[in-house]
Amino acid sequence: MMLTLDTNVLYYASDTLNPDKQIIARSVLDRIVTLDCLLTTQVLGEFLALVRRKNPADLAAASALVQAWSRLLPIVGTTPDHLLAAATLAQRYRLQFWDSLIIAVARSANVEVMLTEDMQDGATIDGITLLNPFNPANRAALDALLAA
């Protein structure tokens, strides 16, 4: 099963201010390298922008993480077709455009599950199931997904 991660999962892996979420995010990242997982350029860009805004001193380390993830996982870029699909998804599902773009790109790469804290947990959007890895109620589903 192909999966992808939203920006918040990447961010919490390096966020020492949220140790409980950091443990979960790091566990996810440690386990995805053996699974069918990809990242989108949108998520990597959002990660760098978030680090730059919240803690500019960590930008060099964040850039090194992006390089490492890019060597470990497939990265799917954005095309004009993705932009148009995202506009349609944003309108249909009443999502933020940038969230819709992540979904549109992931969908084009046959992703079935996206780990995200920010979107509606348990919803299925354009064939992609959203799963909040930080929700304790999802622990069994997350473990099963990451054990596959």
Side-chain angles (χ1 to χ4, degrees):
M1 174 179 305
M2 181 66 73
L3 67 115
T4 194
L5 309 177
D6 198 0
T7 307
N8 46 58
V9 178
L10 299 180
Y11 183 76
Y12 283 130
S14 61
D15 183 14
T16 58
L17 297 178
N18 291 289
D20 292 340
K21 289 183 179 181
Q22 184 183 41
I23 290 167
I24 294 166
R26 284 186 175 181
S27 174
V28 167
L29 288 173
D30 287 345
R31 294 158 70 184
I32 61 166
V33 296
T34 61
L35 302 173
D36 287 333
C37 182
L38 61 85
L39 296 174
T40 68
T41 55
Q42 171 72 25
V43 165
L44 294 175
E46 285 180 8
F47 170 75
L48 290 171
L50 185 60
V51 169
R52 183 172 179 258
R53 186 176 74 241
K54 290 193 175 223
N55 193 353
D58 288 344
L59 190 55
S63 296
L65 285 172
V66 168
Q67 288 178 338
W69 295 327
S70 298
R71 286 190 300 272
L72 292 172
L73 299 168
I75 308 299
V76 180
T78 301
T79 67
D81 287 341
H82 293 135
L83 296 171
L84 298 172
T88 300
L89 288 172
Q91 184 173 1
R92 182 183 316 146
Y93 293 99
R94 297 178 187 197
L95 298 170
Q96 296 294 320
F97 175 80
W98 299 112
D99 290 339
S100 297
L101 184 58
I102 296 167
I103 291 170
V105 172
R107 190 68 208 126
S108 74
N110 300 314
V111 166
E112 298 170 72
V113 176
M114 182 164 97
L115 301 182
T116 179
E117 180 184 47
D118 293 339
M119 292 186 240
Q120 186 178 355
D121 189 24
T124 298
I125 298 175
D126 203 33
I128 297 178
T129 300
L130 307 176
L131 182 69
N132 181 348
F134 307 108
N135 180 347
N138 292 337
R139 187 78 51 208
L142 180 65
D143 286 342
L145 178 68
L146 296 176

